[in-house]
């Protein structure tokens, strides 16, 4: 909340008092220059003010003083001195910070809103006071003053910092009180470095949920020991106890959780919020007593019974046990996965706080976007939980495209309408996941999101206009066109699959040419060699776009089975990726944890480097290229390719094998074409379909390969496949026939030996049964990569 709601704090908010002349005022031993525009901090490149700290400043008070000195010095070349109490020097305007400032300011700060981040900035003719309701609030008050002077921090480091140049720094006479719209604001997975503080992240800290139950470890040595000694405390799955989830109907589970909470609260009796919940993933207990706790609701998104009722009932019991001693305790848990739907048969204690984490829903568009049915569903979900009248609700969403190496995008459509909407619905805490942020791809979404978390009434259009001008300088016009074209590409299309699959349909040749043209124009106006930071910023965005083009060109080559070209482009991608990874935006050489912290402050996140395994590019896209290159270039050759589009039929009743969907020749039924490499399962209307489906396609195998071994190769499926050629079973991806190795995971290449099933010189029918029985967070399913027949040069070759 802002004390003056008619003005925006990020548009130089100032409540100026009119002065009609310049004069020298005598205030005790102080002489302060006052002009019609306000008071001077720097005059003719000389300090006119002194910063006054309390005798023993808190860490954030000291940081506030240091930030003032640094930025005033960068603007003017002159740095005011810092003193801690004592006598004030003559002739200098005192700027009091934190506990050294007038305590009367607290009343105005509280009127704005009671939060540790709240502050009041007061400028009179003879002094400046900046005082927060905590030291953090004082720091944020300093950032307000610096923003009034024109300083901006769009991305981390000097590349993202905007510093005006002026030998004279004057601040308007004013009184500004501010409090945040969101009580606590946090970008998850980003270290608390300078950029995070300058975005005013923080506030009234509290738990925002957790995976796991206190007193019931399931991992590590303690979890192993507990499972060995008390398997009855763990979930019963398919008749066996498994160390995945817990048996929460067991009275001993309740006793242990309550005991663990009592121990924690004995050491921190004022703690009001504790996070807990199921462990991340599946494996819920199937014992009769746990099943009796369920509400009998089938989650429509997952097609399985909702786990919400059993956990709400368990949390109610926990709070009841602690009610007399800790009546204000809140249990915070994720509204997520199979416990996302509201409870059906049990009323939650109002001190159970739901934290919305809609991981399986569209993570690109806003709640009001007609192209996104997911976000409209999310609005319904919030309303449904709000009807249960909880004391609080939190948001723990995702400002990254899940499981993607973070190619160019913006999420302005989402943040600008969703943050005010969820605040209006009563959500007062935002902890948003931003894993693997790429500043070369999106330098603006997080800045706008942070501003709106602070003030939901922020004028986003004005903020963006200022961004283009200040960040890109002479290249503002083409760069604005670039970002707006990028934004409309995501906001105005119906595609929303996670990882990088969404880029295939959105970035066609025409759109890529348009974007490239804007970047070329921007580089001409702000060349890297001559335009300073403006040129460097344009160059960085161009590198992010080039990275996307290499990826799209690589996958296009892969999809047409040109693995030699795909392999070459992939390694060009790695080289560019590594160069961007090494481009440091913000460095702290004195911090021993910088390797961990620095991953958020490079143009591309460290974990996307090509020499690291387990990153998203490797998981979803590198394996098929490596495998296809090995088979068609190094050890063998391509025999026949299968097309992107297959005949497709869902099989919810699982009668396909009985009905002989694997038979060769023509089959009746409502088979429809479905693409595999150019569009995802979700983006063809199968977003929430979970179950069995069939693919069929005919392909001719050239007669020249008769007498040679022929393999049927899949670049990847989600999640299990069973294949036939001409009605002959070849096996499954996990257990191929003929002694070949299988793959346990999804999105991994695998081979079937098809020699005996193939009819050389004539059409062959390939039939594939896909079982996709659990909702992927990405929205993928079925065949997700190219399929081909190939033959090794060495007849004894084995994968």
């Amino acid at each position: 909340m802002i004390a003056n709601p008619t003005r925006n704090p990020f548009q130089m908010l100032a409540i100026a008092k009119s002065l009609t002349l310049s004069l020298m005022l005598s205030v005790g031993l102080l002489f302060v220059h006052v002009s019609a525009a306000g008071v001077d901090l720097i005059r003719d490149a000389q300090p006119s003010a002194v910063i006054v700290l309390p005798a023993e400043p808190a860490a954030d008070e000291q940081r506030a003083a240091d930030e003032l000195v640094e930025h005033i010095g960068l603007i003017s070349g002159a740095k005011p001195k810092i003193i801690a109490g004592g006598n004030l020097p003559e002739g200098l305007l005192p700027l009091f910070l934190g506990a050294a400032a007038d305590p009367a300011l607290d009343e105005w700060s509280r009127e704005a809103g009671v939060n540790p981040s709240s502050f009041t900035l007061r400028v009179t003719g003879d002094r400046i006071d900046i005082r927060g309701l905590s030291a953090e609030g004082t720091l944020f008050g300093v950032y307000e003053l610096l923003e009034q002077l024109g300083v901006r921090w769009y991305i981390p480091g000097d590349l993202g910092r905007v510093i005006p140049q002026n030998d004279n720094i004057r601040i308007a006479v004013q009184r500004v009180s501010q409090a945040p719209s969101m009580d606590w604001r946090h970008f998850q997975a980003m270290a608390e470095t300078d950029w995070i503080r300058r975005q005013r992240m923080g506030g009234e800290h509290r738990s925002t949920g957790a995976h796991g139950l206190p007193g019931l470890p399931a991992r590590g040595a303690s979890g192993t020991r507990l499972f060995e000694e008390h398997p009855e405390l763990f979930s019963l799955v398919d008749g066996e106890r498994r160390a995945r989830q817990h048996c929460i109907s067991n009275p001993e589970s309740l006793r242990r959780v309550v005991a663990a909470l009592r121990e924690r609260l004995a050491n921190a009796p004022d703690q009001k919020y504790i996070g807990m919940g199921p462990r991340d993933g599946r494996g819920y207990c199937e014992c009769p007593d746990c099943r009796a706790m369920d509400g009998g609701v089938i989650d429509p998104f997952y097609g399985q019974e909702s786990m919400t009722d059993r956990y709400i009932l368990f949390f109610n019991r926990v709070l009841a046990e602690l009610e007399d001693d800790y009546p204000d305790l809140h249990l915070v848990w994720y509204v997520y996965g199979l416990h996302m739907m509201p409870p059906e048969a049990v009323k939650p204690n109002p001190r159970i706080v739901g934290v919305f984490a809609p991981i399986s829903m569209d993570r690109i568009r806003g709640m009001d976007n007609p192209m996104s049915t997911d976000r409209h569903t999310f609005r319904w979900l919030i309303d449904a939980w709000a009807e249960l009248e909880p004391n609080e609700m939190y948001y723990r969403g995702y400002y990254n495209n899940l499981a993607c190496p973070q190619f160019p995008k913006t999420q302005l459509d989402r943040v600008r309408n969703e943050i005010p909407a969820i605040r209006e619905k009563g959500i007062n805490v935002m902890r948003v996941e931003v894993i693997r942020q790429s500043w070369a791809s999106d330098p603006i979404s997080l800045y706008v999101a942070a501003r709106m978390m602070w003030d939901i009434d922020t004028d986003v259009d004005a903020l963006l206009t200022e961004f283009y001008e200040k960040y890109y300088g002479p290249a503002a016009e083409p760069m604005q066109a670039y970002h707006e074209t990028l934004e409309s590409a995501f906001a105005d299309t119906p595609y929303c699959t996670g990882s990088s699959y969404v880029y295939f349909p959105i970035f066609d040749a025409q759109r890529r040419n348009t974007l490239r043209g804007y970047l070329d124009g921007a580089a001409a106006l702000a060349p890297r060699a001559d335009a300073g930071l403006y040129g460097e910023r344009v160059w960085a965005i161009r590198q992010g776009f080039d990275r996307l083009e290499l990826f799209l060109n690589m996958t296009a080559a892969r999809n047409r089975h040109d693995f030699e070209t795909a392999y070459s482009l992939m390694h060009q991608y790695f080289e560019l990726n590594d160069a961007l990874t090494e481009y440091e935006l913000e460095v702290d050489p004195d911090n021993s944890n910088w390797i961990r912290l620095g991953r958020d402050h490079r143009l591309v996140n460290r974990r996307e480097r090509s020499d690291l395994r387990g990153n998203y590019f490797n998981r979803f896209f590198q394996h098929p290229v490596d495998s296809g290159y090995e088979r068609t270039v190094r050890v063998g050759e391509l025999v026949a390719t299968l097309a992107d589009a297959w005949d497709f039929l869902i099989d919810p009743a699982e009668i396909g094998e009985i009905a002989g969907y694997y038979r060769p020749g023509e089959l009746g039924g409502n088979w429809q074409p479905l693409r595999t490499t150019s569009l995802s399962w979700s983006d063809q209307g199968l977003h929430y379909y979970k179950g069995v489906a069939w693919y069929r396609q005919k392909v001719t195998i050239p007669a020249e390969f008769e007498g040679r071994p022929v393999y049927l190769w899949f670049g990847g499926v989600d999640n299990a496949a069973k294949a036939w050629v001409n009605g002959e079973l070849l096996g499954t991806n996990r257990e191929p026939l003929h002694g070949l190795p299988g793959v346990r995971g999804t999105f991994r290449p695998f081979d079937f030996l098809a020699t005996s099933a193939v009819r050389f010189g004539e059409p062959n029918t390939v039939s594939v049964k896909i079982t996709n029985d659990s909702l992927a967070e990405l929205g993928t399913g079925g065949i997700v990569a190219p399929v081909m027949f190939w033959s090794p040069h060495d007849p004894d070759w084995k994968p």
Side-chain angles (χ1 to χ4, degrees):
M1 155 177 173
I2 309 299
N4 183 354
T6 65
R7 295 178 179 266
N8 189 298
F10 302 106
Q11 292 179 279
M12 313 287 285
L13 173 66
I15 307 172
K17 298 180 179 179
S18 176
L19 300 175
T20 58
L21 72 162
S22 295
L23 70 162
M24 299 296 293
L25 290 181
S26 173
V27 184
L29 297 177
L30 295 177
F31 294 90
V32 180
H33 181 76
V34 182
S35 74
V39 295
D40 291 327
L41 301 177
I42 301 293
R43 190 165 60 254
D44 298 327
Q46 295 297 318
S48 302
V50 62
I51 298 169
V52 185
L53 283 172
E56 296 183 1
D60 272 352
E61 291 173 330
Q62 182 65 57
R63 185 183 189 124
D66 293 341
E67 290 277 56
L68 272 174
V69 170
E70 177 184 353
H71 287 85
I72 289 174
L74 290 170
I75 294 171
S76 67
K79 294 184 176 182
K81 291 184 178 180
I82 301 172
I83 64 173
N87 295 325
L88 301 179
E90 290 188 23
L92 295 177
L93 176 78
L95 195 162
F96 297 98
L97 292 181
D102 185 354
L105 271 60
D106 290 351
E107 180 180 353
W108 289 311
S109 298
R110 291 191 184 96
E111 287 179 3
V114 178
N115 188 280
S117 300
S118 302
F119 67 84
T120 294
L121 161 64
R122 184 182 65 185
V123 182
T124 65
D126 59 1
R127 62 186 285 164
I128 299 175
D129 291 84
I130 304 176
R131 181 180 173 98
L133 294 184
S134 72
E136 176 186 86
T138 298
L139 176 63
F140 294 168
V142 163
Y143 292 146
E144 165 64 22
L145 185 150
L146 290 173
E147 286 169 354
Q148 289 191 23
L149 298 179
V151 177
R152 297 292 183 270
W153 305 276
Y154 291 116
I155 71 173
D158 289 339
L159 188 65
R161 181 159 57 178
V162 172
I163 302 289
Q165 299 297 300
N166 202 325
D167 290 343
N168 297 286
I169 300 179
R170 184 169 295 158
I171 187 74
V173 173
Q174 60 183 285
R175 191 191 79 221
V176 175
S177 297
Q178 294 185 16
S181 295
M182 292 290 175
D183 290 343
W184 191 52
R185 307 159 307 284
H186 179 60
F187 286 146
Q188 180 185 337
M190 296 191 75
E192 193 174 279
T193 51
D194 289 345
W195 187 81
I196 287 292
R197 304 307 305 280
R198 292 165 179 167
Q199 303 314 310
R200 309 190 196 186
M201 293 286 104
E204 188 177 342
H205 185 274
R206 73 281 304 275
S207 172
T208 52
H211 294 300
L213 299 171
L216 290 174
R219 299 177 63 182
S222 58
T224 300
R225 184 168 56 252
L226 181 64
F227 182 69
E228 291 173 348
E229 295 174 356
H230 296 284
E232 72 280 2
L233 298 179
F234 291 82
S235 54
L236 184 70
V237 180
D238 295 332
E240 296 181 2
R241 295 288 175 179
R242 298 185 183 177
R244 192 71 190 97
Q245 304 286 356
H246 293 95
C247 180
I248 57 174
S249 64
N250 190 319
E252 179 62 13
S253 294
L254 177 64
R255 189 197 69 77
R256 284 175 178 262
V257 170
V258 170
L261 291 178
R262 285 193 180 279
E263 182 178 353
R264 181 185 301 184
L265 292 166
N267 296 320
D270 295 330
Q271 187 171 358
K272 298 294 190 297
Y273 302 92
I274 294 179
M276 65 173 62
R279 298 190 65 220
D280 199 5
R282 306 300 173 84
Y284 297 99
C285 188
E286 299 170 356
C287 79
D289 290 338
C290 280
R291 286 193 174 279
M293 298 169 71
D294 294 331
V297 174
I298 299 300
D299 187 306
F301 304 103
Y302 289 83
Q304 299 177 35
E305 188 165 14
S306 169
M307 296 291 106
T308 303
D309 279 76
R310 69 167 65 178
Y311 278 95
I312 291 294
L313 185 57
F314 181 75
F315 296 152
N316 281 349
R317 292 170 179 172
V318 170
L319 288 171
E321 291 285 331
L322 298 167
E323 179 75 30
D324 292 342
D325 297 323
Y326 304 101
D328 296 325
L329 177 65
H330 289 68
L331 300 183
V332 188
W333 81 312
Y334 295 134
V335 177
Y336 167 85
L338 269 177
H339 39 95
M340 182 171 67
M341 294 294 291
E344 178 71 16
V346 58
K347 168 81 171 173
N349 186 307
R351 289 183 286 117
I352 297 174
V353 180
V355 183
F356 294 98
I359 194 168
S360 61
M361 293 184 176
D362 178 358
R363 289 165 293 277
I364 296 173
R365 286 172 287 268
M367 292 166 66
D368 292 333
N369 191 317
M371 303 302 290
S372 178
T373 56
D374 274 11
R375 302 316 284 183
H376 284 260
T377 304
F378 178 48
R379 182 189 292 275
W380 168 86
L381 192 67
I382 296 174
D383 291 340
W385 278 92
E387 289 178 2
L388 299 172
E389 300 179 330
N391 288 350
E392 297 181 70
M393 298 187 298
Y394 303 160
Y395 179 75
R396 188 238 179 269
Y398 306 84
Y399 282 168
N400 56 320
N401 189 28
L402 190 72
C404 176
Q406 304 311 317
F407 295 124
K409 70 177 189 321
T410 72
Q411 293 192 313
L412 298 176
D413 172 68
R414 182 172 167 201
V415 301
R416 70 185 302 162
N417 76 59
E418 194 159 275
I419 294 175
I422 63 177
R423 187 67 190 91
E424 182 181 353
K425 291 178 178 295
I427 289 174
N428 63 317
V429 165
M430 290 190 69
R431 169 193 165 201
V432 185
E433 182 176 301
V434 293
I435 289 176
R436 302 181 186 179
Q437 166 69 14
S438 170
W439 302 104
S441 297
D442 183 3
I444 187 58
S445 293
L446 294 189
Y447 177 79
V448 173
R451 288 296 177 262
M452 298 201 71
M453 290 180 196
W454 180 264
D455 176 16
I456 59 172
D457 295 321
T458 294
D459 185 338
V460 175
D461 291 331
L463 202 68
L464 292 174
T465 297
E466 181 187 76
F467 164 74
Y468 298 128
E469 294 173 353
K470 288 181 177 290
Y471 196 70
Y472 294 118
E477 185 175 345
M479 289 308 298
Q480 179 174 351
Y482 171 83
H483 285 292
E484 289 178 350
T485 301
L486 196 62
E487 173 68 15
S488 66
F490 285 97
D492 301 336
T493 53
Y495 308 114
C496 64
T497 306
S499 186
S500 305
Y501 296 96
V502 71
Y503 287 86
F504 300 157
I506 289 179
F507 286 89
D508 57 21
Q510 180 178 353
R511 180 167 279 140
R512 288 163 64 181
N513 288 337
T514 299
L515 291 167
R516 194 183 309 110
Y518 291 138
L519 292 173
D520 289 343
L525 293 169
R528 189 184 187 197
D530 303 324
L533 283 175
Y534 296 132
E536 194 76 2
R537 291 163 183 159
V538 171
W539 171 86
I541 298 300
R542 180 56 185 260
Q543 299 308 294
F545 181 77
D546 288 349
R547 181 169 169 260
L548 170 63
E549 290 230 277
L550 284 170
F551 168 77
L552 292 175
N553 291 336
M554 180 207 75
T555 52
R558 179 204 71 168
N559 293 349
R560 63 177 183 265
H561 303 87
D562 181 0
F563 290 102
E564 186 167 12
T565 299
Y567 188 82
S568 174
L569 290 167
M570 182 173 72
H571 284 271
Q572 293 177 49
Y573 172 92
F574 289 158
E575 290 175 6
L576 176 57
N577 206 61
D578 287 352
L580 295 180
T581 300
E582 293 305 316
Y583 189 111
E584 298 190 34
L585 298 171
E586 191 170 300
V587 183
D588 185 357
D590 297 325
N591 189 332
S592 61
N593 290 324
W594 186 248
I595 294 298
R596 179 179 65 82
L597 303 183
R599 71 185 193 199
D600 302 314
H601 298 295
R602 297 169 186 270
L603 282 175
V604 171
N605 189 285
R606 273 183 176 270
R607 295 180 67 183
E608 291 308 325
R609 289 191 60 169
S610 61
D611 59 348
L612 297 179
R613 292 299 175 250
N615 64 56
Y616 295 140
F617 183 94
N618 172 273
R619 178 177 178 185
F620 297 109
F621 301 104
Q622 181 176 352
H623 292 303
V625 174
D626 280 339
S627 177
Y629 180 77
E630 175 76 14
R631 283 153 179 75
T632 62
V633 178
R634 288 182 173 166
V635 302
E637 59 185 301
L638 187 64
V639 171
T641 63
L642 284 92
D644 176 21
W646 294 58
D647 289 337
F648 177 84
L649 186 67
I650 61 171
D651 184 15
E654 298 189 38
I655 64 168
E657 289 198 51
I658 298 172
Y661 288 175
Y662 55 83
R663 290 175 294 152
E666 301 298 326
L667 290 183
N670 190 29
W671 294 80
Q672 300 291 326
L674 194 83
R675 300 187 211 175
T676 53
T677 58
S678 61
L679 275 179
S680 72
W681 182 297
S682 283
D683 291 337
Q684 297 176 88
L686 293 166
H687 192 16
Y688 291 111
Y689 178 70
K690 296 295 121 183
V692 173
W694 288 77
Y695 293 81
R696 287 171 57 87
Q697 187 171 158
K698 291 182 179 180
V699 59
T700 297
I701 306 297
E704 65 192 79
F705 288 96
E706 189 168 4
R708 292 176 56 176
V710 173
Y711 289 87
L712 176 62
W713 175 89
F714 287 77
V717 299
D718 180 15
N719 34 10
K722 189 174 184 179
W724 294 258
V725 171
N726 297 323
E728 181 178 320
L729 177 65
L730 303 183
T732 69
N733 60 318
R734 299 183 179 185
E735 295 183 354
L737 300 180
H738 307 102
L740 299 183
V743 293
R744 298 294 299 173
T746 56
F747 306 99
R748 302 297 291 268
F750 55 93
D751 292 276
F752 295 115
L753 183 58
T755 312
S756 63
V758 166
R759 297 170 184 168
F760 294 95
E762 57 183 282
N764 292 261
T765 300
V766 179
S767 307
V768 185
K769 176 186 177 183
I770 291 288
T771 303
N772 188 19
D773 54 8
S774 61
L775 182 65
E777 296 167 353
L778 306 180
T780 53
I783 299 172
V784 296
V787 182
M788 67 181 177
F789 286 93
W790 73 281
S791 179
H793 298 308
D794 181 355
D796 295 325
W797 180 90
K798 296 293 182 185

